[in-house]
Amino acid sequence: MTASHHAASANGPGTAPAASTAPPIRQRVLAGFIGGLSGGVVFGALMAVMGMLPMIASLVGSSSVAVGFIVHLVISVLIGLTLTIPGAGLLTGSLIKSALVGLVYGALWWVLGPLLIMPTMMSMPVLTLDGSSLMSLMGHMIYGLILGLVATLVLRRRR
């Protein structure tokens, strides 16, 4: 009988061994903050090159590149937290798994953000696909990749 069989039988018939506990909330918040900020800085730099930051600034009634960058970073951190606080367990495995989770999460936010939420807020058509939206997909996936990897490394540093 293997060790896992012994563990399963120790927990009762048909039960799996107890799952490891979730990282503490402080660690999950830190992972979302650092991961979201890291991905946001890289994605924000890409957005600056593409001239997209004034459009982000318009969400708060500005056209300033600096305001757009700050708004983008705040959103990046919030999105990072929405992954790590409830879903830290998705980021506790291998870095490859975390990279895939991040890529999918970035693609999900590409649909939610620039294809649905932002156009709705700006009274524009939703789900519009063109060359710039595909560049946005790339940026969101890069953001998600960095978020997933950095958050995983933070979560591994339990204290």
Side-chain angles (χ1 to χ4, degrees):
M1 196 177 251
T2 67
S4 63
H5 286 110
H6 287 294
S9 61
N11 292 326
T15 59
S20 64
T21 60
I25 187 69
R26 179 180 173 276
Q27 196 75 14
R28 290 180 277 158
V29 168
L30 190 62
F33 182 85
I34 294 173
L37 189 61
S38 300
V41 166
V42 173
F43 187 18
L46 293 172
M47 293 176 75
V49 169
M50 297 185 322
M52 301 298 294
L53 292 174
M55 183 172 65
I56 301 301
S58 73
L59 292 171
V60 294
S62 176
S63 61
S64 164
V65 169
V67 170
F69 190 70
I70 291 167
V71 169
H72 169 74
L73 291 180
V74 169
I75 293 168
S76 296
V77 167
L78 292 173
I79 289 173
L81 292 170
T82 64
L83 174 62
T84 61
I85 291 174
L90 296 172
L91 301 171
T92 56
S94 72
L95 288 178
I96 292 173
K97 178 184 172 196
S98 296
L100 292 173
V101 167
L103 288 168
V104 170
Y105 193 68
L108 170 68
W109 274 102
W110 170 68
V111 173
L112 293 174
L115 296 184
L116 292 174
I117 296 170
M118 194 165 170
T120 300
M121 289 177 67
M122 301 174 79
S123 300
M124 297 170 58
V126 298
L127 299 173
T128 301
L129 298 176
D130 57 21
S132 68
S133 62
L134 294 179
M135 291 298 288
S136 177
L137 171 61
M138 179 188 73
H140 280 83
M141 291 180 77
I142 291 169
Y143 163 81
L145 175 68
I146 294 169
L147 166 62
L149 293 174
V150 170
T152 296
L153 294 175
V154 172
L155 289 168
R156 285 183 178 179
R157 293 188 54 165
R158 290 196 184 178
R159 296 179 190 221

